[in-house]
Amino acid sequence: MKNDNVRDNALFKTSHLMILIAYSLLSVALIAESLLMGWETWMVYIIGISVLGCWFMHVQNVLTPYQRLWVYSILMMVIAAFYGVHLTSTYDLVGVISVCIGLFTLTGVTALIYLWQVTYYLILAYDLVLMWSQDYPFDSLVISRTMLHVFLIVLVGWISRIIIRRWAEILYRSKDETEILQGATTRLNDFLANVSHEIRTPINAVIGLTDVCIEKVDNQDVQEDLISVKDAGKRVAEQISDILDYSEIDMKKLAVNVEQYMLSSVLNDVVTEMAYIKPKHLELIVDVDAACPAMMVTDVPKLKKILWHLISNGLKYTKEGGVYVHIYSVTREYGVNLCIEVEDTGIGMSPEEREHIYEHFYQGNSGRTRSTSGLGLGMAIVSGFVKVLGGFIIIDSELGKGTKVKVSIPQDVIDPSKCMSLKTKDDISVGAFLHFDKFVNLQVREFYNLMVKHIVQGLGVVMRWVETADKLRELTDNMELTHLFVGEEEYMENSEFIESLSKRMVVAVIANPNFCQVPWSKIRILPKPFYCFPVATLLNQDPSLEENRVGRLMCNGVKALVVDDEPMNHMVANGIFRRYGMEVFTANSGKESIAMCETDDYDIIFMDHMMPEMDGIEAMKRIRTVLSRRHKDVPIIALTANAVSTAKKMFLREGFNGFISKPIELSELERVLRKVMPKELCTDVFETEEEAYERTASKKTSAQSESNREATTSQEIMSEGVPEPDKTLSPLEQVAALGIDTKTGLYYCQKDEEFYRKLLLQYAGDAPKKQQDAEKFFAGNDYPNYEIVVHALKSTSKMIGAGKLSELALALENAAKAEDGEFIRTHHEAAMTEYKRLVDGIIKAYEEPAQAQKTEEVGNAEDSESNGEDEVMEFAPDDEPGNDSGGGNDEALEFLPEED
């Protein structure tokens, strides 16, 4: 067994070639000596033929390696015997035999060592007999030399056998240790699969339930805390995912699941996630070449993670400036190479750090380790993913001057057309009010200039770019623009003027995610990072449409069955799937789901994998059998925390229609729903921005009925007991004097005082009907309906900032639920009195017509003149050189693309 271990070792397999080479050299030397010494000529031919035959066996793999080794050995012993039988070589033979024994030690075969020793003894015995027959004098020198040579061969053989035995023991122990390590690795792999399920299950609950709670809770402080909990959960989920990716790379078990994808979709997902982790003081610039194919083939999750890790690493090690992402393609015979260049203005790397960048858990020097977070697996994961996708990665970095990473990944092309284009260019006239000099870092300015230039060249439009408000007025007065792109800071400084422009053209503000838009504003928001695909989408929309309609995926009436043994996951599923209008049913086990499918019909089934008694795969197959008997075909989706890369392929191979990993990403859920659900059950519901706002606001004031929409006049509800307001105070200050927290109210109105005024007046206008209903249900002891009324009062009061009344209404709501009539009778009158006091105060504060202020604001917006000195810069595509801006005598600066 031990010798088998030695023979299986790579070193001993290599020894076969070494022996063959030594055999060839020894044969050449023997042939030469035979010719010089006049030895038997016929033996020369035999030696030559045997050498050629051995090489033929080696090249053609005739016989097994072990069998060929014995053939080489026997032939070498034959030529050694031919050399030794000549008396002139008797005492030279010991050196040749010793070398041969040393070579054959590498084979690990002790039998060959014994055989070489026996060969030497036989040859020496033959020579001694021959010498005796020829009366050769056997003096003391001959006898001592003979004994010495015999002792040397015995010693060399003994040492060789000890070496082989010790190597065999070491290799035997190594094999045992290797088997132990392989077993541990297998157990670790199973452990990681279980960990991914067991840890991701509560993490899924944390993330999913916080999403649900965020929508339900109105308190800003509580919302912020819930968002922090959600972010922490996502961070843990990402780190678990990184550990699993690393383990698969390390064990060389990565599975490649290729699928068709659109670059725009992948970038949208990555950019959306990056927007929330990007530090506010850094810029993320995404520059995409429009010539990239519209649809390609690759492993999409791995491509997303490559982008994620490259960009997040750039942001992590950048203190000021930003990260520039340039994506383009290079045409090849097999399709294209998708090239991703990520350049940052960060701290850079020394040559020593670049050498270690791909090492697992490496995070640079100790200074970096202390100042950054993470597991140090990012670049190792990127390198592993790029390698398995057939690509390569190059890193160029200099300490203190930032880092540039280039990745190239081969892609099959499905649709070679451009990834973005415009329906028509003739009717589009684009302007830009962007002041890039506000960025202190010169590289960031250059990055933005490159991006704008590439957008213009890729879409083939002319963009007229100004940097001051005065020049913008001059441009809009002299040109009929259809679209205007404005920076967030530029908008904030000139909001009234830009809002007035939105009535004449499509105005898009490039803003950070936390930008608060004025309700009912017509401007469009392009969230940062600003890149080409949203621009192309906006330019392809009909500018004549006044409403910006947004699509929401809805699956109204769809019956969804969620199969999971974890009650928390049922809660998460209910909260998430009901958003899409689904009717959710739950089963606690695979057996229960089979029984439910035998008696009821469902439109879609979400199945967990790891469940007691019966796992999700077996349950899915049995449900398929039940459905086939009933002649029904229902999509079954694997909804599991198993995040190993081979999981998706395994679930699809087993018969699932789709795969969604926990925690549930809404974008991935919607993608799968669109793919597997019949079109008649999965539709897009479009609504205007105003309708979307009303829908969101209605969640906070859900108890208000349509009959309460008609506002009553101040004369009908004003009380004589309320003192006249202090006319020296503004209406907002008068409302605050009533005890209303106007800061809270303004927060819910996105800091828009005009909208807050409308909300207060509506609150007051709805009061008579609410008071009447409350009194009626109170008098009739109708607690269920009384609960509905005070619930609505609680929500609406909280929205305007009337915290005291909201808390009192909450107490009444809880009392109504418990049918505590004593508490209601004690506190009802106090609540109604406070309600009436607030309503009367609001009416008196806002009794002056609100339209006057609005008219004045519009007049101010139209009363501006242009007198700037700056030039209008014109970015033009190569097919429209020399296109004039049409405004004034300013010099136009054109940026023309290079010829393809």
Side-chain angles (χ1 to χ4, degrees):
M1 179 65 71
K2 293 183 179 180
N3 287 337
D4 290 341
N5 294 336
V6 175
R7 290 196 295 269
D8 291 338
N9 186 269
L11 175 63
F12 298 129
K13 292 179 180 179
T14 306
S15 69
H16 297 182
L17 181 60
M18 296 172 60
I19 289 171
L20 189 56
I21 294 173
Y23 176 35
S24 301
L25 295 176
L26 182 62
S27 298
V28 171
L30 184 58
I31 290 172
E33 187 169 358
S34 297
L35 296 175
L36 290 174
M37 300 295 295
W39 293 347
E40 293 79 2
T41 307
W42 58 270
M43 192 62 185
V44 172
Y45 296 106
I46 294 176
I47 293 172
I49 292 171
S50 66
V51 171
L52 294 175
C54 288
W55 278 107
F56 176 80
M57 292 173 63
H58 177 76
V59 173
Q60 297 296 323
N61 285 321
V62 178
L63 305 177
T64 65
Y66 187 67
Q67 292 171 336
R68 289 200 302 270
L69 179 64
W70 275 92
V71 172
Y72 304 157
S73 303
I74 292 171
L75 290 175
M76 286 185 69
M77 291 174 190
V78 170
I79 66 171
F82 172 69
Y83 175 73
V85 296
H86 298 89
L87 293 180
T88 56
S89 307
T90 299
Y91 293 104
D92 297 333
L93 182 63
V94 67
V96 175
I97 297 297
S98 297
V99 170
C100 290
I101 290 175
L103 279 173
F104 279 87
T105 300
L106 299 177
T107 65
V109 183
T110 55
L112 291 176
I113 305 301
Y114 281 117
L115 188 59
W116 273 105
Q117 288 181 289
V118 171
T119 300
Y120 174 76
Y121 300 147
L122 291 175
I123 296 172
L124 181 61
Y126 173 82
D127 287 343
L128 291 175
V129 170
L130 186 63
M131 291 169 62
W132 180 270
S133 65
Q134 295 180 3
D135 297 328
Y136 194 88
F138 281 88
D139 54 17
S140 59
L141 177 63
V142 171
I143 294 173
S144 63
R145 289 179 65 187
T146 301
M147 294 177 63
L148 177 62
H149 286 193
V150 171
F151 175 75
L152 285 175
I153 293 301
V154 171
L155 181 62
V156 169
W158 177 70
I159 293 173
S160 296
R161 287 191 295 273
I162 288 177
I163 292 174
I164 291 174
R165 186 167 59 253
R166 294 291 172 83
W167 280 1
E169 291 174 354
I170 292 171
L171 291 173
Y172 186 75
R173 289 197 300 268
S174 299
K175 184 177 182 180
D176 288 344
E177 293 173 357
T178 301
E179 290 176 353
I180 292 172
L181 290 175
Q182 288 175 343
T185 301
T186 302
R187 289 191 297 272
L188 176 62
N189 195 24
D190 295 337
F191 171 74
L192 288 174
N194 291 329
V195 165
S196 70
H197 183 272
E198 296 300 328
I199 296 182
R200 279 174 174 263
T201 295
I203 290 298
N204 170 52
V206 170
I207 296 175
L209 290 176
T210 48
D211 267 335
V212 174
C213 293
I214 288 170
E215 289 192 353
K216 293 180 179 179
V217 174
D218 295 338
N219 186 287
Q220 171 67 8
D221 294 335
V222 176
Q223 281 188 341
E224 291 178 356
D225 291 341
L226 288 171
I227 290 172
S228 298
V229 172
K230 177 184 174 183
D231 291 341
K234 279 192 171 183
R235 193 155 54 247
V236 172
E238 289 164 5
Q239 290 175 343
I240 293 172
S241 178
D242 286 347
I243 292 173
L244 289 172
D245 290 336
Y246 158 71
S247 66
E248 289 184 342
I249 293 170
D250 193 47
M251 293 184 290
K252 296 179 175 58
K253 289 187 177 181
L254 276 178
V256 177
N257 303 305
V258 297
E259 59 182 299
Q260 298 179 10
Y261 77 99
M262 298 178 68
L263 185 59
S264 57
S265 177
V266 169
L267 269 183
N268 177 70
D269 294 344
V270 174
V271 166
T272 301
E273 294 176 4
M274 281 295 167
Y276 292 98
I277 70 164
K278 181 185 73 68
K280 292 181 180 179
H281 66 284
L282 297 180
E283 295 296 316
L284 175 57
I285 303 101
V286 181
D287 185 3
V288 183
D289 186 359
C292 290
M295 185 170 290
M296 295 173 280
V297 174
T298 194
D299 189 318
V300 176
K302 289 182 175 59
L303 178 60
K304 287 182 179 180
K305 285 200 173 183
I306 290 171
L307 284 165
W308 168 270
H309 283 296
L310 290 178
I311 298 173
S312 60
N313 262 9
L315 293 172
K316 186 187 300 182
Y317 296 118
T318 300
K319 296 179 180 178
E320 61 178 22
V323 176
Y324 173 64
V325 183
H326 185 203
I327 300 176
Y328 59 96
S329 62
V330 179
T331 304
R332 291 289 184 262
E333 293 180 357
Y334 47 78
V336 298
N337 281 344
L338 183 66
C339 300
I340 303 169
E341 294 181 359
V342 180
E343 183 175 357
D344 63 59
T345 60
I347 61 178
M349 291 184 291
S350 65
E352 293 77 13
E353 289 173 326
R354 289 202 302 272
E355 292 179 2
H356 299 285
I357 189 65
Y358 299 122
E359 293 180 5
H360 305 154
F361 308 108
Y362 180 73
Q363 288 185 301
N365 55 43
S366 59
R368 272 195 191 182
T369 305
R370 288 193 299 269
S371 62
T372 59
S373 60
L375 301 174
L377 297 174
M379 290 306 298
I381 292 173
V382 169
S383 177
F385 282 177
V386 170
K387 183 177 179 181
V388 79
L389 293 178
F392 65 87
I393 181 171
I394 299 174
I395 297 179
D396 182 20
S397 181
E398 187 175 346
L399 194 62
K401 295 187 177 179
T403 302
K404 184 175 183 179
V405 182
K406 179 179 179 180
V407 169
S408 180
I409 304 173
Q411 311 269 287
D412 290 332
V413 176
I414 302 300
D415 182 359
S417 60
K418 286 186 174 183
C419 63
M420 59 177 176
S421 59
L422 298 181
K423 296 177 182 177
T424 177
K425 304 174 187 177
D426 299 335
D427 300 330
I428 295 178
S429 178
V430 183
F433 180 22
L434 303 168
H435 188 54
F436 291 154
D437 287 345
K438 63 190 173 187
F439 299 115
V440 178
N441 191 287
L442 296 179
Q443 282 182 276
V444 172
R445 299 182 193 176
E446 180 63 22
F447 292 156
Y448 269 115
N449 283 327
L450 283 173
M451 181 201 63
V452 172
K453 178 181 177 182
H454 291 156
I455 290 177
V456 169
Q457 293 176 349
L459 295 178
V461 297
V462 177
M463 177 182 286
R464 293 163 181 87
W465 181 7
V466 297
E467 296 187 342
T468 66
D470 291 336
K471 208 61 192 175
L472 178 62
R473 286 188 177 91
E474 183 177 341
L475 175 65
T476 54
D477 287 342
N478 290 279
M479 283 211 64
E480 193 67 32
L481 297 178
T482 59
H483 298 79
L484 176 65
F485 295 93
V486 183
E488 180 179 350
E489 293 83 356
E490 290 83 343
Y491 169 81
M492 297 301 293
E493 294 173 0
N494 307 273
S495 58
E496 294 181 3
F497 172 56
I498 293 173
E499 286 290 346
S500 68
L501 291 178
S502 67
K503 300 175 182 178
R504 301 160 42 192
M505 64 191 71
V506 176
V507 177
V509 175
I510 303 156
N512 288 301
N514 59 349
F515 175 74
C516 291
Q517 182 182 3
V518 177
W520 322 121
S521 170
K522 292 183 177 295
I523 64 169
R524 315 289 176 87
I525 304 299
L526 291 183
K528 282 188 175 183
F530 174 50
Y531 67 112
C532 58
F533 291 118
V535 173
T537 300
L538 186 65
L539 294 179
N540 278 322
Q541 292 177 355
D542 188 352
S544 63
L545 294 177
E546 295 183 359
E547 296 180 334
N548 180 23
R549 302 183 68 82
V550 182
R552 290 191 298 122
L553 178 68
M554 293 300 294
C555 303
N556 291 322
V558 168
K559 296 177 66 176
L561 174 61
V562 179
V563 187
D564 201 304
D565 63 315
E566 178 58 53
M568 286 193 299
N569 287 337
H570 291 168
M571 297 174 63
V572 174
N574 270 285
I576 292 178
F577 296 151
R578 288 185 189 278
R579 295 180 182 181
Y580 299 95
M582 296 184 186
E583 187 178 358
V584 182
F585 301 85
T586 59
N588 295 312
S589 66
K591 290 183 178 179
E592 184 179 349
S593 67
I594 296 170
M596 293 176 69
C597 290
E598 288 176 343
T599 57
D600 295 313
D601 293 332
Y602 301 98
D603 299 306
I604 188 169
I605 300 172
F606 295 93
M607 181 74 68
D608 186 28
H609 177 212
M610 296 183 180
M611 294 183 292
E613 296 183 5
M614 182 186 295
D615 67 14
I617 295 176
E618 184 180 353
M620 177 271 298
K621 291 180 178 179
R622 294 195 182 186
I623 290 175
R624 293 279 190 214
T625 303
V626 171
L627 294 176
S628 64
R629 290 199 300 263
R630 303 179 63 189
H631 305 290
K632 292 184 178 296
D633 185 17
V634 177
I636 304 179
I637 310 300
L639 180 59
T640 174
N642 191 337
V644 180
S645 66
T646 54
K648 179 178 180 180
K649 180 179 283 187
M650 183 268 289
F651 284 121
L652 296 179
R653 185 174 62 248
E654 291 289 347
F656 284 93
N657 299 92
F659 170 82
I660 300 174
S661 177
K662 299 175 186 175
I664 299 172
E665 289 288 343
L666 296 185
S667 59
E668 180 67 12
L669 171 62
E670 292 185 9
R671 186 188 71 80
V672 173
L673 288 175
R674 293 180 190 277
K675 181 178 180 180
V676 304
M677 292 291 291
K679 291 184 178 179
E680 62 270 16
L681 297 179
C682 187
T683 59
D684 285 304
V685 177
F686 289 91
E687 58 188 6
T688 65
E689 291 177 338
E690 290 82 356
E691 291 169 344
Y693 183 87
E694 287 179 351
R695 174 176 53 81
T696 303
S698 68
K699 293 179 181 179
K700 301 176 181 178
T701 58
S702 59
Q704 295 182 355
S705 61
E706 288 300 321
S707 61
N708 293 336
R709 298 295 180 186
E710 297 295 329
T712 58
T713 63
S714 61
Q715 289 81 4
E716 291 174 320
I717 64 173
M718 187 176 295
S719 171
E720 295 181 358
V722 178
E724 289 296 322
D726 186 353
K727 296 299 183 180
T728 62
L729 300 177
S730 68
L732 191 62
E733 291 172 331
Q734 294 177 42
V735 170
L738 295 171
I740 294 177
D741 185 357
T742 55
K743 289 184 179 180
T744 299
L746 283 169
Y747 167 78
Y748 287 116
C749 294
Q750 298 183 326
K751 299 180 181 180
D752 179 19
E753 291 189 19
E754 173 61 19
F755 179 59
Y756 186 39
R757 181 188 68 83
K758 292 180 180 179
L759 189 64
L760 287 169
L761 289 176
Q762 180 167 331
Y763 178 83
D766 292 339
K769 183 65 166 63
K770 279 191 172 64
Q771 289 174 324
Q772 180 183 350
D773 290 342
E775 294 292 354
K776 181 178 67 174
F777 298 138
F778 170 72
N781 294 326
D782 187 350
Y783 296 133
N785 285 318
Y786 184 81
E787 178 189 347
I788 294 173
V789 174
V790 293
H791 170 79
L793 178 61
K794 174 198 71 174
S795 300
T796 54
S797 298
K798 189 172 187 177
M799 181 175 291
I800 68 168
K804 179 180 177 182
L805 178 57
S806 179
E807 292 175 3
L808 185 54
L810 173 60
L812 289 170
E813 179 186 2
N814 292 332
K817 286 180 181 178
E819 297 187 354
D820 186 353
E822 183 64 28
F823 183 90
I824 295 174
R825 286 189 292 273
T826 303
H827 297 88
H828 169 77
E829 184 176 355
M832 294 299 104
T833 301
E834 175 67 8
Y835 189 18
K836 192 172 187 303
R837 183 185 72 84
L838 294 180
V839 168
D840 291 346
I842 291 170
I843 293 299
K844 286 188 176 182
Y846 285 103
E847 63 184 50
E848 295 182 1
Q851 189 62 33
Q853 182 182 359
K854 184 176 179 182
T855 304
E856 181 182 354
E857 289 176 355
V858 174
N860 291 337
E862 295 173 348
D863 192 28
S864 56
E865 297 179 359
S866 60
N867 53 11
E869 296 275 338
D870 300 306
E871 65 179 4
V872 175
M873 291 180 287
E874 184 172 302
F875 285 77
D878 53 353
D879 58 345
E880 297 183 16
N883 198 332
D884 188 24
S885 65
N889 297 321
D890 298 311
E891 180 181 358
L893 182 60
E894 289 188 351
F895 293 83
L896 301 177
E898 299 178 358
E899 295 289 339
D900 291 333

mmCIF file of all heavy atoms in Angstrom, residues 236-253:
data_model
loop_
_atom_site.group_PDB
_atom_site.id
_atom_site.type_symbol
_atom_site.label_atom_id
_atom_site.label_comp_id
_atom_site.label_asym_id
_atom_site.label_seq_id
_atom_site.Cartn_x
_atom_site.Cartn_y
_atom_site.Cartn_z
ATOM 1 N N VAL A 236 -24.800 42.180 6.481
ATOM 2 C CA VAL A 236 -24.514 40.807 6.913
ATOM 3 C C VAL A 236 -24.780 39.833 5.763
ATOM 4 O O VAL A 236 -23.988 38.912 5.518
ATOM 5 C CB VAL A 236 -25.377 40.437 8.141
ATOM 6 C CG1 VAL A 236 -25.235 38.960 8.469
ATOM 7 C CG2 VAL A 236 -24.980 41.279 9.343
ATOM 8 N N ALA A 237 -25.879 40.018 5.045
ATOM 9 C CA ALA A 237 -26.211 39.132 3.925
ATOM 10 C C ALA A 237 -25.128 39.196 2.845
ATOM 11 O O ALA A 237 -24.750 38.174 2.264
ATOM 12 C CB ALA A 237 -27.567 39.511 3.331
ATOM 13 N N GLU A 238 -24.603 40.393 2.582
ATOM 14 C CA GLU A 238 -23.546 40.538 1.578
ATOM 15 C C GLU A 238 -22.269 39.838 2.020
ATOM 16 O O GLU A 238 -21.586 39.190 1.213
ATOM 17 C CB GLU A 238 -23.273 42.023 1.328
ATOM 18 C CG GLU A 238 -24.397 42.732 0.583
ATOM 19 C CD GLU A 238 -24.282 44.238 0.680
ATOM 20 O OE1 GLU A 238 -23.272 44.712 1.247
ATOM 21 O OE2 GLU A 238 -25.187 44.940 0.204
ATOM 22 N N GLN A 239 -21.929 39.950 3.306
ATOM 23 C CA GLN A 239 -20.713 39.298 3.790
ATOM 24 C C GLN A 239 -20.853 37.780 3.760
ATOM 25 O O GLN A 239 -19.898 37.071 3.426
ATOM 26 C CB GLN A 239 -20.397 39.792 5.200
ATOM 27 C CG GLN A 239 -19.947 41.253 5.225
ATOM 28 C CD GLN A 239 -19.743 41.786 6.622
ATOM 29 O OE1 GLN A 239 -20.211 41.200 7.585
ATOM 30 N NE2 GLN A 239 -19.041 42.905 6.731
ATOM 31 N N ILE A 240 -22.026 37.271 4.083
ATOM 32 C CA ILE A 240 -22.258 35.829 3.964
ATOM 33 C C ILE A 240 -22.095 35.392 2.516
ATOM 34 O O ILE A 240 -21.473 34.365 2.212
ATOM 35 C CB ILE A 240 -23.667 35.468 4.482
ATOM 36 C CG1 ILE A 240 -23.758 35.697 5.993
ATOM 37 C CG2 ILE A 240 -24.008 34.012 4.163
ATOM 38 C CD1 ILE A 240 -25.157 35.548 6.537
ATOM 39 N N SER A 241 -22.632 36.181 1.608
ATOM 40 C CA SER A 241 -22.515 35.872 0.183
ATOM 41 C C SER A 241 -21.057 35.876 -0.252
ATOM 42 O O SER A 241 -20.626 35.005 -1.021
ATOM 43 C CB SER A 241 -23.322 36.889 -0.632
ATOM 44 O OG SER A 241 -23.191 36.641 -2.006
ATOM 45 N N ASP A 242 -20.264 36.826 0.241
ATOM 46 C CA ASP A 242 -18.843 36.886 -0.102
ATOM 47 C C ASP A 242 -18.105 35.653 0.399
ATOM 48 O O ASP A 242 -17.246 35.095 -0.299
ATOM 49 C CB ASP A 242 -18.204 38.143 0.481
ATOM 50 C CG ASP A 242 -18.604 39.406 -0.272
ATOM 51 O OD1 ASP A 242 -19.173 39.270 -1.372
ATOM 52 O OD2 ASP A 242 -18.352 40.504 0.240
ATOM 53 N N ILE A 243 -18.409 35.225 1.610
ATOM 54 C CA ILE A 243 -17.750 34.040 2.165
ATOM 55 C C ILE A 243 -18.074 32.802 1.325
ATOM 56 O O ILE A 243 -17.204 31.985 1.022
ATOM 57 C CB ILE A 243 -18.174 33.830 3.630
ATOM 58 C CG1 ILE A 243 -17.613 34.959 4.512
ATOM 59 C CG2 ILE A 243 -17.685 32.481 4.139
ATOM 60 C CD1 ILE A 243 -18.119 34.931 5.933
ATOM 61 N N LEU A 244 -19.326 32.668 0.917
ATOM 62 C CA LEU A 244 -19.712 31.523 0.085
ATOM 63 C C LEU A 244 -19.026 31.582 -1.277
ATOM 64 O O LEU A 244 -18.554 30.559 -1.785
ATOM 65 C CB LEU A 244 -21.231 31.502 -0.078
ATOM 66 C CG LEU A 244 -22.031 31.109 1.171
ATOM 67 C CD1 LEU A 244 -23.512 31.314 0.924
ATOM 68 C CD2 LEU A 244 -21.756 29.680 1.556
ATOM 69 N N ASP A 245 -18.966 32.765 -1.870
ATOM 70 C CA ASP A 245 -18.280 32.911 -3.159
ATOM 71 C C ASP A 245 -16.812 32.536 -3.033
ATOM 72 O O ASP A 245 -16.258 31.821 -3.878
ATOM 73 C CB ASP A 245 -18.410 34.348 -3.666
ATOM 74 C CG ASP A 245 -19.821 34.690 -4.094
ATOM 75 O OD1 ASP A 245 -20.573 33.756 -4.425
ATOM 76 O OD2 ASP A 245 -20.168 35.885 -4.086
ATOM 77 N N TYR A 246 -16.184 33.022 -1.969
ATOM 78 C CA TYR A 246 -14.767 32.722 -1.761
ATOM 79 C C TYR A 246 -14.534 31.230 -1.578
ATOM 80 O O TYR A 246 -13.589 30.651 -2.131
ATOM 81 C CB TYR A 246 -14.252 33.488 -0.545
ATOM 82 C CG TYR A 246 -13.017 32.882 0.069
ATOM 83 C CD1 TYR A 246 -11.795 32.944 -0.591
ATOM 84 C CD2 TYR A 246 -13.071 32.219 1.291
ATOM 85 C CE1 TYR A 246 -10.665 32.375 -0.048
ATOM 86 C CE2 TYR A 246 -11.950 31.643 1.833
ATOM 87 C CZ TYR A 246 -10.745 31.725 1.174
ATOM 88 O OH TYR A 246 -9.637 31.157 1.710
ATOM 89 N N SER A 247 -15.399 30.573 -0.801
ATOM 90 C CA SER A 247 -15.224 29.142 -0.555
ATOM 91 C C SER A 247 -15.371 28.346 -1.852
ATOM 92 O O SER A 247 -14.630 27.387 -2.090
ATOM 93 C CB SER A 247 -16.230 28.652 0.496
ATOM 94 O OG SER A 247 -17.560 28.742 0.005
ATOM 95 N N GLU A 248 -16.297 28.745 -2.710
ATOM 96 C CA GLU A 248 -16.466 28.045 -3.985
ATOM 97 C C GLU A 248 -15.264 28.263 -4.897
ATOM 98 O O GLU A 248 -14.832 27.347 -5.608
ATOM 99 C CB GLU A 248 -17.742 28.518 -4.667
ATOM 100 C CG GLU A 248 -19.006 28.040 -3.972
ATOM 101 C CD GLU A 248 -20.260 28.443 -4.721
ATOM 102 O OE1 GLU A 248 -20.166 29.366 -5.556
ATOM 103 O OE2 GLU A 248 -21.304 27.856 -4.485
ATOM 104 N N ILE A 249 -14.731 29.489 -4.894
ATOM 105 C CA ILE A 249 -13.534 29.765 -5.694
ATOM 106 C C ILE A 249 -12.364 28.951 -5.172
ATOM 107 O O ILE A 249 -11.603 28.347 -5.938
ATOM 108 C CB ILE A 249 -13.211 31.274 -5.659
ATOM 109 C CG1 ILE A 249 -14.291 32.073 -6.394
ATOM 110 C CG2 ILE A 249 -11.844 31.551 -6.286
ATOM 111 C CD1 ILE A 249 -14.180 33.567 -6.214
ATOM 112 N N ASP A 250 -12.199 28.918 -3.859
ATOM 113 C CA ASP A 250 -11.084 28.219 -3.241
ATOM 114 C C ASP A 250 -11.155 26.720 -3.501
ATOM 115 O O ASP A 250 -10.126 26.058 -3.679
ATOM 116 C CB ASP A 250 -11.089 28.490 -1.734
ATOM 117 C CG ASP A 250 -9.801 28.065 -1.068
ATOM 118 O OD1 ASP A 250 -8.724 28.401 -1.597
ATOM 119 O OD2 ASP A 250 -9.861 27.405 -0.016
ATOM 120 N N MET A 251 -12.360 26.160 -3.546
ATOM 121 C CA MET A 251 -12.527 24.722 -3.783
ATOM 122 C C MET A 251 -12.707 24.392 -5.267
ATOM 123 O O MET A 251 -12.942 23.242 -5.618
ATOM 124 C CB MET A 251 -13.731 24.208 -2.990
ATOM 125 C CG MET A 251 -13.528 24.241 -1.489
ATOM 126 S SD MET A 251 -14.924 23.522 -0.567
ATOM 127 C CE MET A 251 -16.195 24.752 -0.860
ATOM 128 N N LYS A 252 -12.608 25.437 -6.119
ATOM 129 C CA LYS A 252 -12.729 25.254 -7.570
ATOM 130 C C LYS A 252 -14.053 24.577 -7.937
ATOM 131 O O LYS A 252 -14.103 23.662 -8.763
ATOM 132 C CB LYS A 252 -11.549 24.465 -8.122
ATOM 133 C CG LYS A 252 -10.204 25.169 -7.964
ATOM 134 C CD LYS A 252 -9.065 24.353 -8.508
ATOM 135 C CE LYS A 252 -7.758 25.135 -8.454
ATOM 136 N NZ LYS A 252 -7.389 25.594 -7.111
ATOM 137 N N LYS A 253 -15.119 25.019 -7.288
ATOM 138 C CA LYS A 253 -16.443 24.461 -7.552
ATOM 139 C C LYS A 253 -17.407 25.504 -8.084
ATOM 140 O O LYS A 253 -18.621 25.370 -7.940
ATOM 141 C CB LYS A 253 -17.007 23.821 -6.278
ATOM 142 C CG LYS A 253 -16.301 22.537 -5.873
ATOM 143 C CD LYS A 253 -17.008 21.852 -4.718
ATOM 144 C CE LYS A 253 -16.348 20.531 -4.362
ATOM 145 N NZ LYS A 253 -17.042 19.843 -3.254
#
